[in-house]
Amino acid sequence: CDSDRVRYLKQVIDLLPPLNKSTLAVLMKFLAKVVLYAPFNKMPLHNVATVFAPNILRAKNATALQMVEA
């Protein structure tokens, strides 16, 4: 269920060190601004997620194949 995913994600973010949490907040604000200009930059939410999610959410020692499967 989506609410479980959101709750789990919040718990994981709360475990981040303060500097990482701040960096993530700045990055999310920037990416939200990128999405606002989607008609001009061809980067709607789906495209931004496709480009950035594998880099932000990857496991520490994941292979390329494991990242694609996840």
Side-chain angles (χ1 to χ4, degrees):
C1 153
D2 285 343
S3 63
D4 291 337
R5 290 181 191 174
V6 170
R7 189 176 19 242
Y8 177 74
L9 188 56
K10 285 181 181 179
Q11 290 173 350
V12 170
I13 291 171
D14 285 341
L15 296 175
L16 290 173
L19 186 58
N20 294 43
K21 199 182 299 188
S22 296
T23 303
L24 181 62
V26 171
L27 179 61
M28 293 298 108
K29 287 177 186 175
F30 169 73
L31 293 177
K33 194 169 185 178
V34 169
V35 171
L36 286 176
Y37 291 92
F40 307 103
N41 63 21
K42 308 294 189 236
M43 289 298 287
L45 182 58
H46 180 267
N47 289 358
V48 170
T50 300
V51 171
F52 283 92
N55 296 296
I56 296 172
L57 302 175
R58 71 179 169 90
K60 191 172 187 175
N61 296 319
T63 66
L65 180 59
Q66 289 169 330
M67 288 190 306
V68 170
E69 288 173 344

